[in-house]
């Protein structure tokens, strides 16, 4: 079988570029795709392995494991900079998402025509901001579990898709 090399780039708005590679055994074959996880902040200690495992589980539950996804963890200064550029709001925030496919309705999964289009986009997590929010609410036992945030997101997904989803961390509390 002939292997095709297809580079994929993750451009960060403030100049950093990360390159990761995929190899396809054949043009029609689509393996499970990449989850690129970058921790570009040092303000809050972050355990990437549990975060990666939970994100892989969420991708599997949602049926989007054949799509690339970038998750970038940043500090307040970086997320504020991105928020100012793209949303014209000069304040830090918790999450900014940049979907690869435009004009999708909520809960709709893209139907790409080409292998390079199997990409969901990038999610920037303002880890420092999220930690500060949890600390203010006295809910900072484990920044990765964020049980209430998980529950809210899954309830919203359930309303949109009709699925009954439970947080992966429900047995931890």
């Amino acid at each position: 079988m002939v292997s095709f090399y297809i580079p994929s780039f993750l451009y960060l708005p403030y100049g950093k570029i990360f390159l990761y590679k995929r190899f396809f055994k054949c043009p029609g074959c689509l393996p499970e795709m990449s989850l690129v996880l970058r921790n570009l902040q040092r303000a809050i200690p972050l355990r990437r392995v549990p975060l990666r495992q939970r994100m892989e589980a969420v991708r599997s539950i949602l049926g989007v494991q054949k799509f690339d996804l970038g998750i970038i963890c940043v500090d307040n200064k970086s997320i504020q900079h991105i928020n100012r550029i793209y949303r014209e709001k000069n304040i830090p925030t918790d999450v900014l998402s940049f979907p690869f496919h435009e004009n999708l309705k909520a809960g709709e999964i893209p139907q790409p025509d080409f292998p390079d289009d199997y990409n969901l986009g990038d999610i920037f997590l303002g880890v420092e901001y999220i930690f500060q929010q949890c600390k203010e609410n006295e809910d900072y036992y484990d920044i990765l579990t964020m049980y209430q945030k998980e529950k809210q997101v899954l309830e919203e997904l359930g309303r949109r898709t009709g699925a009954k989803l439970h947080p992966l961390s429900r047995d931890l509390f």
Side-chain angles (χ1 to χ4, degrees):
M1 254 182 209
V2 177
S3 292
F4 295 90
Y5 170 72
I6 301 173
S8 296
F9 294 92
L10 176 63
Y11 295 91
L12 300 183
Y14 45 95
K16 296 189 188 290
I17 299 176
F18 294 100
L19 170 66
Y20 60 99
K21 302 173 184 176
R22 288 192 307 247
F23 290 89
F24 290 95
K25 296 285 184 197
C26 62
C29 301
L30 289 175
E32 201 166 292
M33 302 305 257
S34 300
L35 172 63
V36 176
L37 180 59
R38 298 285 181 232
N39 184 16
L40 302 180
Q41 58 85 38
R42 297 290 172 248
I44 305 296
L46 184 69
R47 294 173 38 225
R48 289 185 301 187
V49 171
L51 179 58
R52 175 177 296 280
Q53 289 170 340
R54 289 180 177 139
M55 290 310 306
E56 290 290 3
V58 169
R59 287 174 65 209
S60 180
I61 290 166
L62 296 176
V64 294
Q65 62 270 35
K66 292 192 179 201
F67 290 84
D68 289 331
L69 176 64
I71 298 177
I72 303 95
C73 301
V74 295
D75 58 17
N76 278 349
K77 183 179 175 184
S78 299
I79 198 109
Q80 181 174 346
H81 177 75
I82 299 166
N83 203 15
R84 183 175 58 245
I85 290 171
Y86 290 99
R87 297 182 63 224
E88 298 177 1
K89 295 186 178 188
N90 193 20
I91 55 172
T93 188
D94 51 0
V95 178
L96 291 172
S97 61
F98 299 92
F100 183 80
H101 298 276
E102 298 177 8
N103 303 322
L104 283 178
K105 295 177 184 171
E108 189 175 65
I109 296 177
Q111 301 298 320
D113 294 325
F114 303 102
D116 278 351
D117 291 341
Y118 278 80
N119 189 340
L120 293 178
D122 301 312
I123 299 171
F124 286 81
L125 297 177
V127 176
E128 185 177 2
Y129 184 86
I130 293 168
F131 183 78
Q132 288 168 348
Q133 279 186 322
C134 291
K135 193 172 181 179
E136 287 172 11
N137 297 330
E138 297 179 8
D139 186 23
Y140 62 100
Y141 173 71
D142 183 353
I143 191 68
L144 296 176
T145 58
M146 293 187 299
Y147 181 77
Q148 291 301 324
K149 287 262 187 201
E150 264 184 292
K151 190 173 175 183
Q152 290 170 350
V153 168
L154 293 175
E155 284 173 359
E156 182 62 26
L157 283 170
R159 277 195 288 278
R160 293 173 185 234
T161 64
K164 187 167 174 72
L165 304 171
H166 297 284
L168 297 173
S169 59
R170 71 177 171 193
D171 296 330
L172 298 176
F173 295 93

mmCIF file of all heavy atoms in Angstrom, residues 79-124:
data_model
loop_
_atom_site.group_PDB
_atom_site.id
_atom_site.type_symbol
_atom_site.label_atom_id
_atom_site.label_comp_id
_atom_site.label_asym_id
_atom_site.label_seq_id
_atom_site.Cartn_x
_atom_site.Cartn_y
_atom_site.Cartn_z
ATOM 1 N N ILE A 79 -5.183 34.593 26.657
ATOM 2 C CA ILE A 79 -6.595 34.483 26.284
ATOM 3 C C ILE A 79 -7.205 35.865 26.127
ATOM 4 O O ILE A 79 -8.068 36.085 25.281
ATOM 5 C CB ILE A 79 -7.401 33.590 27.257
ATOM 6 C CG1 ILE A 79 -8.707 33.137 26.609
ATOM 7 C CG2 ILE A 79 -7.716 34.287 28.550
ATOM 8 C CD1 ILE A 79 -8.757 31.716 26.240
ATOM 9 N N GLN A 80 -6.726 36.840 26.919
ATOM 10 C CA GLN A 80 -7.205 38.218 26.779
ATOM 11 C C GLN A 80 -6.782 38.780 25.425
ATOM 12 O O GLN A 80 -7.569 39.448 24.746
ATOM 13 C CB GLN A 80 -6.664 39.090 27.907
ATOM 14 C CG GLN A 80 -7.141 40.524 27.844
ATOM 15 C CD GLN A 80 -6.717 41.334 29.062
ATOM 16 O OE1 GLN A 80 -6.298 40.780 30.064
ATOM 17 N NE2 GLN A 80 -6.836 42.641 28.962
ATOM 18 N N HIS A 81 -5.555 38.492 25.021
ATOM 19 C CA HIS A 81 -5.046 38.947 23.724
ATOM 20 C C HIS A 81 -5.885 38.361 22.572
ATOM 21 O O HIS A 81 -6.289 39.084 21.652
ATOM 22 C CB HIS A 81 -3.578 38.550 23.577
ATOM 23 C CG HIS A 81 -2.978 38.901 22.266
ATOM 24 N ND1 HIS A 81 -2.628 40.179 21.916
ATOM 25 C CD2 HIS A 81 -2.669 38.118 21.196
ATOM 26 C CE1 HIS A 81 -2.133 40.183 20.702
ATOM 27 N NE2 HIS A 81 -2.140 38.935 20.240
ATOM 28 N N ILE A 82 -6.160 37.075 22.640
ATOM 29 C CA ILE A 82 -6.966 36.417 21.602
ATOM 30 C C ILE A 82 -8.391 36.962 21.613
ATOM 31 O O ILE A 82 -8.983 37.219 20.567
ATOM 32 C CB ILE A 82 -6.961 34.885 21.809
ATOM 33 C CG1 ILE A 82 -5.538 34.344 21.715
ATOM 34 C CG2 ILE A 82 -7.854 34.196 20.780
ATOM 35 C CD1 ILE A 82 -5.390 32.933 22.239
ATOM 36 N N ASN A 83 -8.952 37.151 22.800
ATOM 37 C CA ASN A 83 -10.308 37.679 22.949
ATOM 38 C C ASN A 83 -10.398 39.094 22.366
ATOM 39 O O ASN A 83 -11.391 39.453 21.726
ATOM 40 C CB ASN A 83 -10.701 37.678 24.427
ATOM 41 C CG ASN A 83 -12.190 37.656 24.659
ATOM 42 O OD1 ASN A 83 -12.976 37.371 23.762
ATOM 43 N ND2 ASN A 83 -12.583 37.951 25.875
ATOM 44 N N ARG A 84 -9.362 39.894 22.580
ATOM 45 C CA ARG A 84 -9.341 41.258 22.041
ATOM 46 C C ARG A 84 -9.296 41.236 20.511
ATOM 47 O O ARG A 84 -10.015 41.977 19.851
ATOM 48 C CB ARG A 84 -8.139 42.026 22.599
ATOM 49 C CG ARG A 84 -8.092 43.481 22.141
ATOM 50 C CD ARG A 84 -6.965 44.285 22.791
ATOM 51 N NE ARG A 84 -5.652 43.704 22.524
ATOM 52 C CZ ARG A 84 -4.847 43.194 23.459
ATOM 53 N NH1 ARG A 84 -5.225 43.166 24.723
ATOM 54 N NH2 ARG A 84 -3.679 42.691 23.134
ATOM 55 N N ILE A 85 -8.504 40.353 19.952
ATOM 56 C CA ILE A 85 -8.365 40.287 18.487
ATOM 57 C C ILE A 85 -9.650 39.782 17.822
ATOM 58 O O ILE A 85 -10.128 40.380 16.862
ATOM 59 C CB ILE A 85 -7.180 39.378 18.097
ATOM 60 C CG1 ILE A 85 -5.865 40.048 18.475
ATOM 61 C CG2 ILE A 85 -7.203 39.056 16.599
ATOM 62 C CD1 ILE A 85 -4.653 39.139 18.334
ATOM 63 N N TYR A 86 -10.211 38.692 18.316
ATOM 64 C CA TYR A 86 -11.307 38.027 17.619
ATOM 65 C C TYR A 86 -12.698 38.440 18.078
ATOM 66 O O TYR A 86 -13.653 38.314 17.317
ATOM 67 C CB TYR A 86 -11.162 36.507 17.727
ATOM 68 C CG TYR A 86 -9.997 36.010 16.914
ATOM 69 C CD1 TYR A 86 -8.779 35.733 17.512
ATOM 70 C CD2 TYR A 86 -10.106 35.860 15.538
ATOM 71 C CE1 TYR A 86 -7.708 35.302 16.769
ATOM 72 C CE2 TYR A 86 -9.035 35.436 14.791
ATOM 73 C CZ TYR A 86 -7.832 35.158 15.401
ATOM 74 O OH TYR A 86 -6.766 34.739 14.656
ATOM 75 N N ARG A 87 -12.838 38.908 19.323
ATOM 76 C CA ARG A 87 -14.164 39.279 19.822
ATOM 77 C C ARG A 87 -14.246 40.744 20.219
ATOM 78 O O ARG A 87 -15.288 41.200 20.672
ATOM 79 C CB ARG A 87 -14.541 38.388 21.013
ATOM 80 C CG ARG A 87 -14.661 36.916 20.614
ATOM 81 C CD ARG A 87 -15.084 36.029 21.765
ATOM 82 N NE ARG A 87 -16.407 36.393 22.241
ATOM 83 C CZ ARG A 87 -16.723 36.504 23.538
ATOM 84 N NH1 ARG A 87 -15.826 36.291 24.468
ATOM 85 N NH2 ARG A 87 -17.936 36.820 23.893
ATOM 86 N N GLU A 88 -13.117 41.449 20.081
ATOM 87 C CA GLU A 88 -13.038 42.862 20.430
ATOM 88 C C GLU A 88 -13.446 43.115 21.881
ATOM 89 O O GLU A 88 -14.090 44.110 22.201
ATOM 90 C CB GLU A 88 -13.854 43.711 19.464
ATOM 91 C CG GLU A 88 -13.341 43.608 18.041
ATOM 92 C CD GLU A 88 -14.162 44.387 17.033
ATOM 93 O OE1 GLU A 88 -15.141 45.043 17.425
ATOM 94 O OE2 GLU A 88 -13.795 44.338 15.851
ATOM 95 N N LYS A 89 -13.088 42.175 22.764
ATOM 96 C CA LYS A 89 -13.323 42.312 24.202
ATOM 97 C C LYS A 89 -11.972 42.185 24.890
ATOM 98 O O LYS A 89 -11.337 41.144 24.815
ATOM 99 C CB LYS A 89 -14.287 41.244 24.706
ATOM 100 C CG LYS A 89 -15.671 41.391 24.123
ATOM 101 C CD LYS A 89 -16.628 40.409 24.743
ATOM 102 C CE LYS A 89 -18.012 40.628 24.160
ATOM 103 N NZ LYS A 89 -19.020 39.840 24.840
ATOM 104 N N ASN A 90 -11.564 43.239 25.562
ATOM 105 C CA ASN A 90 -10.234 43.279 26.167
ATOM 106 C C ASN A 90 -10.261 42.755 27.603
ATOM 107 O O ASN A 90 -9.841 43.440 28.530
ATOM 108 C CB ASN A 90 -9.679 44.709 26.107
ATOM 109 C CG ASN A 90 -8.197 44.746 26.417
ATOM 110 O OD1 ASN A 90 -7.507 43.743 26.317
ATOM 111 N ND2 ASN A 90 -7.722 45.904 26.817
ATOM 112 N N ILE A 91 -10.771 41.549 27.776
ATOM 113 C CA ILE A 91 -10.821 40.902 29.084
ATOM 114 C C ILE A 91 -10.502 39.418 28.903
ATOM 115 O O ILE A 91 -10.760 38.846 27.849
ATOM 116 C CB ILE A 91 -12.212 41.054 29.758
ATOM 117 C CG1 ILE A 91 -13.311 40.525 28.841
ATOM 118 C CG2 ILE A 91 -12.480 42.488 30.158
ATOM 119 C CD1 ILE A 91 -14.681 40.449 29.490
ATOM 120 N N PRO A 92 -9.956 38.784 29.945
ATOM 121 C CA PRO A 92 -9.751 37.333 29.849
ATOM 122 C C PRO A 92 -11.097 36.608 29.904
ATOM 123 O O PRO A 92 -12.092 37.164 30.369
ATOM 124 C CB PRO A 92 -8.893 36.994 31.060
ATOM 125 C CG PRO A 92 -8.918 38.182 31.945
ATOM 126 C CD PRO A 92 -9.438 39.350 31.179
ATOM 127 N N THR A 93 -11.123 35.395 29.426
ATOM 128 C CA THR A 93 -12.341 34.583 29.445
ATOM 129 C C THR A 93 -11.965 33.128 29.666
ATOM 130 O O THR A 93 -10.786 32.786 29.700
ATOM 131 C CB THR A 93 -13.159 34.774 28.148
ATOM 132 O OG1 THR A 93 -14.416 34.125 28.284
ATOM 133 C CG2 THR A 93 -12.411 34.233 26.934
ATOM 134 N N ASP A 94 -12.968 32.255 29.801
ATOM 135 C CA ASP A 94 -12.683 30.852 30.076
ATOM 136 C C ASP A 94 -12.409 30.026 28.821
ATOM 137 O O ASP A 94 -11.463 29.268 28.765
ATOM 138 C CB ASP A 94 -13.787 30.210 30.919
ATOM 139 C CG ASP A 94 -15.181 30.433 30.361
ATOM 140 O OD1 ASP A 94 -15.327 31.085 29.310
ATOM 141 O OD2 ASP A 94 -16.134 29.950 30.997
ATOM 142 N N VAL A 95 -13.224 30.166 27.794
ATOM 143 C CA VAL A 95 -13.095 29.333 26.598
ATOM 144 C C VAL A 95 -13.337 30.175 25.345
ATOM 145 O O VAL A 95 -14.279 30.956 25.285
ATOM 146 C CB VAL A 95 -14.121 28.169 26.609
ATOM 147 C CG1 VAL A 95 -14.015 27.341 25.336
ATOM 148 C CG2 VAL A 95 -13.940 27.290 27.829
ATOM 149 N N LEU A 96 -12.488 29.975 24.353
ATOM 150 C CA LEU A 96 -12.707 30.530 23.017
ATOM 151 C C LEU A 96 -12.591 29.378 22.036
ATOM 152 O O LEU A 96 -11.637 28.595 22.103
ATOM 153 C CB LEU A 96 -11.665 31.600 22.676
ATOM 154 C CG LEU A 96 -11.748 32.900 23.456
ATOM 155 C CD1 LEU A 96 -10.544 33.785 23.144
ATOM 156 C CD2 LEU A 96 -13.037 33.634 23.147
ATOM 157 N N SER A 97 -13.555 29.249 21.149
ATOM 158 C CA SER A 97 -13.498 28.158 20.174
ATOM 159 C C SER A 97 -13.495 28.732 18.769
ATOM 160 O O SER A 97 -14.135 29.740 18.485
ATOM 161 C CB SER A 97 -14.682 27.210 20.363
ATOM 162 O OG SER A 97 -15.897 27.894 20.171
ATOM 163 N N PHE A 98 -12.750 28.067 17.910
ATOM 164 C CA PHE A 98 -12.609 28.473 16.517
ATOM 165 C C PHE A 98 -12.911 27.269 15.634
ATOM 166 O O PHE A 98 -12.023 26.459 15.346
ATOM 167 C CB PHE A 98 -11.194 29.006 16.262
ATOM 168 C CG PHE A 98 -10.877 30.218 17.092
ATOM 169 C CD1 PHE A 98 -10.269 30.089 18.334
ATOM 170 C CD2 PHE A 98 -11.225 31.479 16.655
ATOM 171 C CE1 PHE A 98 -9.993 31.192 19.117
ATOM 172 C CE2 PHE A 98 -10.955 32.604 17.422
ATOM 173 C CZ PHE A 98 -10.343 32.459 18.655
ATOM 174 N N PRO A 99 -14.175 27.113 15.229
ATOM 175 C CA PRO A 99 -14.545 25.947 14.421
ATOM 176 C C PRO A 99 -13.917 25.998 13.030
ATOM 177 O O PRO A 99 -13.768 27.065 12.446
ATOM 178 C CB PRO A 99 -16.068 26.032 14.348
ATOM 179 C CG PRO A 99 -16.427 27.421 14.716
ATOM 180 C CD PRO A 99 -15.296 27.992 15.515
ATOM 181 N N PHE A 100 -13.550 24.843 12.539
ATOM 182 C CA PHE A 100 -12.976 24.719 11.204
ATOM 183 C C PHE A 100 -14.056 24.883 10.129
ATOM 184 O O PHE A 100 -13.841 25.511 9.110
ATOM 185 C CB PHE A 100 -12.287 23.359 11.067
ATOM 186 C CG PHE A 100 -11.593 23.148 9.749
ATOM 187 C CD1 PHE A 100 -10.345 23.699 9.520
ATOM 188 C CD2 PHE A 100 -12.189 22.396 8.749
ATOM 189 C CE1 PHE A 100 -9.703 23.512 8.312
ATOM 190 C CE2 PHE A 100 -11.550 22.193 7.537
ATOM 191 C CZ PHE A 100 -10.303 22.753 7.316
ATOM 192 N N HIS A 101 -15.228 24.316 10.389
ATOM 193 C CA HIS A 101 -16.331 24.364 9.434
ATOM 194 C C HIS A 101 -17.295 25.476 9.823
ATOM 195 O O HIS A 101 -17.720 25.569 10.968
ATOM 196 C CB HIS A 101 -17.083 23.031 9.394
ATOM 197 C CG HIS A 101 -16.222 21.897 8.937
ATOM 198 N ND1 HIS A 101 -16.008 21.602 7.615
ATOM 199 C CD2 HIS A 101 -15.485 21.007 9.645
ATOM 200 C CE1 HIS A 101 -15.199 20.564 7.512
ATOM 201 N NE2 HIS A 101 -14.862 20.187 8.734
ATOM 202 N N GLU A 102 -17.656 26.287 8.856
ATOM 203 C CA GLU A 102 -18.578 27.385 9.112
ATOM 204 C C GLU A 102 -20.004 26.949 8.805
ATOM 205 O O GLU A 102 -20.246 25.970 8.099
ATOM 206 C CB GLU A 102 -18.212 28.585 8.248
ATOM 207 C CG GLU A 102 -16.826 29.138 8.557
ATOM 208 C CD GLU A 102 -16.437 30.289 7.653
ATOM 209 O OE1 GLU A 102 -17.287 30.776 6.890
ATOM 210 O OE2 GLU A 102 -15.273 30.692 7.721
ATOM 211 N N ASN A 103 -20.952 27.686 9.335
ATOM 212 C CA ASN A 103 -22.386 27.508 9.046
ATOM 213 C C ASN A 103 -22.937 26.148 9.460
ATOM 214 O O ASN A 103 -23.828 25.622 8.801
ATOM 215 C CB ASN A 103 -22.672 27.765 7.552
ATOM 216 C CG ASN A 103 -22.218 29.145 7.135
ATOM 217 O OD1 ASN A 103 -22.359 30.103 7.886
ATOM 218 N ND2 ASN A 103 -21.664 29.245 5.941
ATOM 219 N N LEU A 104 -22.415 25.579 10.526
ATOM 220 C CA LEU A 104 -22.984 24.349 11.070
ATOM 221 C C LEU A 104 -23.992 24.714 12.154
ATOM 222 O O LEU A 104 -23.775 25.640 12.925
ATOM 223 C CB LEU A 104 -21.906 23.465 11.694
ATOM 224 C CG LEU A 104 -21.028 22.671 10.755
ATOM 225 C CD1 LEU A 104 -19.999 21.887 11.551
ATOM 226 C CD2 LEU A 104 -21.833 21.732 9.893
ATOM 227 N N LYS A 105 -25.082 23.978 12.199
ATOM 228 C CA LYS A 105 -26.057 24.170 13.262
ATOM 229 C C LYS A 105 -25.588 23.426 14.504
ATOM 230 O O LYS A 105 -24.793 22.487 14.418
ATOM 231 C CB LYS A 105 -27.422 23.646 12.825
ATOM 232 C CG LYS A 105 -28.019 24.418 11.674
ATOM 233 C CD LYS A 105 -29.332 23.823 11.247
ATOM 234 C CE LYS A 105 -29.844 24.567 10.022
ATOM 235 N NZ LYS A 105 -30.999 23.922 9.438
ATOM 236 N N ALA A 106 -26.087 23.826 15.657
ATOM 237 C CA ALA A 106 -25.719 23.183 16.913
ATOM 238 C C ALA A 106 -26.033 21.687 16.840
ATOM 239 O O ALA A 106 -27.114 21.286 16.414
ATOM 240 C CB ALA A 106 -26.471 23.824 18.075
ATOM 241 N N GLY A 107 -25.071 20.865 17.235
ATOM 242 C CA GLY A 107 -25.251 19.417 17.245
ATOM 243 C C GLY A 107 -25.009 18.754 15.903
ATOM 244 O O GLY A 107 -25.021 17.528 15.802
ATOM 245 N N GLU A 108 -24.776 19.526 14.860
ATOM 246 C CA GLU A 108 -24.562 18.972 13.519
ATOM 247 C C GLU A 108 -23.085 18.590 13.342
ATOM 248 O O GLU A 108 -22.199 19.352 13.688
ATOM 249 C CB GLU A 108 -24.960 20.031 12.483
ATOM 250 C CG GLU A 108 -25.001 19.545 11.067
ATOM 251 C CD GLU A 108 -25.510 20.631 10.135
ATOM 252 O OE1 GLU A 108 -24.832 21.656 9.991
ATOM 253 O OE2 GLU A 108 -26.600 20.450 9.572
ATOM 254 N N ILE A 109 -22.840 17.408 12.820
ATOM 255 C CA ILE A 109 -21.475 16.933 12.575
ATOM 256 C C ILE A 109 -21.120 17.223 11.125
ATOM 257 O O ILE A 109 -21.907 16.927 10.220
ATOM 258 C CB ILE A 109 -21.348 15.434 12.891
ATOM 259 C CG1 ILE A 109 -21.601 15.206 14.383
ATOM 260 C CG2 ILE A 109 -19.984 14.902 12.484
ATOM 261 C CD1 ILE A 109 -21.582 13.767 14.800
ATOM 262 N N PRO A 110 -19.943 17.808 10.882
ATOM 263 C CA PRO A 110 -19.542 18.120 9.502
ATOM 264 C C PRO A 110 -19.475 16.862 8.635
ATOM 265 O O PRO A 110 -19.188 15.778 9.127
ATOM 266 C CB PRO A 110 -18.144 18.733 9.659
ATOM 267 C CG PRO A 110 -17.952 18.995 11.094
ATOM 268 C CD PRO A 110 -18.923 18.161 11.856
ATOM 269 N N GLN A 111 -19.736 17.047 7.352
ATOM 270 C CA GLN A 111 -19.641 15.973 6.368
ATOM 271 C C GLN A 111 -18.598 16.368 5.319
ATOM 272 O O GLN A 111 -18.934 16.777 4.212
ATOM 273 C CB GLN A 111 -21.008 15.744 5.698
ATOM 274 C CG GLN A 111 -22.125 15.390 6.655
ATOM 275 C CD GLN A 111 -21.869 14.099 7.400
ATOM 276 O OE1 GLN A 111 -21.367 13.135 6.841
ATOM 277 N NE2 GLN A 111 -22.194 14.091 8.687
ATOM 278 N N PRO A 112 -17.306 16.241 5.653
ATOM 279 C CA PRO A 112 -16.251 16.710 4.753
ATOM 280 C C PRO A 112 -16.129 15.862 3.489
ATOM 281 O O PRO A 112 -16.409 14.666 3.493
ATOM 282 C CB PRO A 112 -14.983 16.617 5.578
ATOM 283 C CG PRO A 112 -15.338 16.007 6.861
ATOM 284 C CD PRO A 112 -16.790 15.723 6.890
ATOM 285 N N ASP A 113 -15.694 16.519 2.425
ATOM 286 C CA ASP A 113 -15.469 15.850 1.146
ATOM 287 C C ASP A 113 -14.022 15.407 0.964
ATOM 288 O O ASP A 113 -13.736 14.527 0.167
ATOM 289 C CB ASP A 113 -15.849 16.789 -0.006
ATOM 290 C CG ASP A 113 -17.338 17.087 -0.030
ATOM 291 O OD1 ASP A 113 -18.137 16.186 0.300
ATOM 292 O OD2 ASP A 113 -17.702 18.229 -0.370
ATOM 293 N N PHE A 114 -13.102 16.041 1.683
ATOM 294 C CA PHE A 114 -11.679 15.778 1.512
ATOM 295 C C PHE A 114 -11.033 15.413 2.850
ATOM 296 O O PHE A 114 -11.460 15.900 3.899
ATOM 297 C CB PHE A 114 -10.979 17.015 0.922
ATOM 298 C CG PHE A 114 -11.569 17.461 -0.378
ATOM 299 C CD1 PHE A 114 -12.434 18.549 -0.414
ATOM 300 C CD2 PHE A 114 -11.293 16.784 -1.552
ATOM 301 C CE1 PHE A 114 -12.995 18.957 -1.611
ATOM 302 C CE2 PHE A 114 -11.848 17.185 -2.749
ATOM 303 C CZ PHE A 114 -12.706 18.276 -2.788
ATOM 304 N N PRO A 115 -9.992 14.578 2.836
ATOM 305 C CA PRO A 115 -9.333 14.168 4.086
ATOM 306 C C PRO A 115 -8.848 15.341 4.942
ATOM 307 O O PRO A 115 -8.946 15.293 6.158
ATOM 308 C CB PRO A 115 -8.157 13.313 3.616
ATOM 309 C CG PRO A 115 -8.593 12.786 2.299
ATOM 310 C CD PRO A 115 -9.437 13.868 1.677
ATOM 311 N N ASP A 116 -8.343 16.394 4.326
ATOM 312 C CA ASP A 116 -7.849 17.534 5.099
ATOM 313 C C ASP A 116 -8.959 18.303 5.799
ATOM 314 O O ASP A 116 -8.691 19.137 6.656
ATOM 315 C CB ASP A 116 -7.057 18.497 4.217
ATOM 316 C CG ASP A 116 -5.618 18.046 4.024
ATOM 317 O OD1 ASP A 116 -5.201 17.086 4.710
ATOM 318 O OD2 ASP A 116 -4.915 18.658 3.204
ATOM 319 N N ASP A 117 -10.202 18.048 5.429
ATOM 320 C CA ASP A 117 -11.331 18.752 6.041
ATOM 321 C C ASP A 117 -11.882 18.031 7.268
ATOM 322 O O ASP A 117 -12.858 18.479 7.863
ATOM 323 C CB ASP A 117 -12.449 18.958 5.017
ATOM 324 C CG ASP A 117 -12.050 19.947 3.933
ATOM 325 O OD1 ASP A 117 -11.098 20.720 4.149
ATOM 326 O OD2 ASP A 117 -12.697 19.941 2.870
ATOM 327 N N TYR A 118 -11.276 16.912 7.651
ATOM 328 C CA TYR A 118 -11.693 16.207 8.870
ATOM 329 C C TYR A 118 -11.040 16.907 10.071
ATOM 330 O O TYR A 118 -10.103 16.416 10.665
ATOM 331 C CB TYR A 118 -11.314 14.725 8.813
ATOM 332 C CG TYR A 118 -12.306 13.912 8.029
ATOM 333 C CD1 TYR A 118 -12.267 13.883 6.647
ATOM 334 C CD2 TYR A 118 -13.312 13.210 8.682
ATOM 335 C CE1 TYR A 118 -13.197 13.152 5.925
ATOM 336 C CE2 TYR A 118 -14.244 12.477 7.968
ATOM 337 C CZ TYR A 118 -14.178 12.465 6.588
ATOM 338 O OH TYR A 118 -15.109 11.748 5.878
ATOM 339 N N ASN A 119 -11.557 18.075 10.378
ATOM 340 C CA ASN A 119 -11.006 18.927 11.418
ATOM 341 C C ASN A 119 -12.160 19.652 12.092
ATOM 342 O O ASN A 119 -13.009 20.225 11.419
ATOM 343 C CB ASN A 119 -10.037 19.934 10.792
ATOM 344 C CG ASN A 119 -9.251 20.704 11.809
ATOM 345 O OD1 ASN A 119 -9.625 20.797 12.976
ATOM 346 N ND2 ASN A 119 -8.152 21.288 11.367
ATOM 347 N N LEU A 120 -12.213 19.607 13.412
ATOM 348 C CA LEU A 120 -13.256 20.328 14.141
ATOM 349 C C LEU A 120 -12.850 21.761 14.429
ATOM 350 O O LEU A 120 -13.695 22.633 14.540
ATOM 351 C CB LEU A 120 -13.577 19.622 15.458
ATOM 352 C CG LEU A 120 -14.241 18.260 15.334
ATOM 353 C CD1 LEU A 120 -14.452 17.660 16.716
ATOM 354 C CD2 LEU A 120 -15.564 18.370 14.592
ATOM 355 N N GLY A 121 -11.563 22.010 14.563
ATOM 356 C CA GLY A 121 -11.084 23.352 14.872
ATOM 357 C C GLY A 121 -10.253 23.351 16.139
ATOM 358 O O GLY A 121 -9.712 22.327 16.541
ATOM 359 N N ASP A 122 -10.184 24.512 16.774
ATOM 360 C CA ASP A 122 -9.352 24.694 17.948
ATOM 361 C C ASP A 122 -10.158 25.266 19.101
ATOM 362 O O ASP A 122 -11.030 26.100 18.896
ATOM 363 C CB ASP A 122 -8.198 25.643 17.641
ATOM 364 C CG ASP A 122 -7.338 25.133 16.504
ATOM 365 O OD1 ASP A 122 -6.969 23.951 16.525
ATOM 366 O OD2 ASP A 122 -7.052 25.925 15.594
ATOM 367 N N ILE A 123 -9.824 24.825 20.306
ATOM 368 C CA ILE A 123 -10.447 25.325 21.520
ATOM 369 C C ILE A 123 -9.332 25.867 22.410
ATOM 370 O O ILE A 123 -8.387 25.150 22.725
ATOM 371 C CB ILE A 123 -11.213 24.213 22.262
ATOM 372 C CG1 ILE A 123 -12.334 23.662 21.387
ATOM 373 C CG2 ILE A 123 -11.760 24.744 23.594
ATOM 374 C CD1 ILE A 123 -12.996 22.413 21.951
ATOM 375 N N PHE A 124 -9.448 27.134 22.781
ATOM 376 C CA PHE A 124 -8.500 27.750 23.701
ATOM 377 C C PHE A 124 -9.128 27.773 25.081
ATOM 378 O O PHE A 124 -10.223 28.311 25.264
ATOM 379 C CB PHE A 124 -8.156 29.173 23.258
ATOM 380 C CG PHE A 124 -7.251 29.217 22.066
ATOM 381 C CD1 PHE A 124 -7.750 29.054 20.786
ATOM 382 C CD2 PHE A 124 -5.888 29.415 22.229
ATOM 383 C CE1 PHE A 124 -6.922 29.087 19.688
ATOM 384 C CE2 PHE A 124 -5.048 29.444 21.131
ATOM 385 C CZ PHE A 124 -5.559 29.278 19.861
#
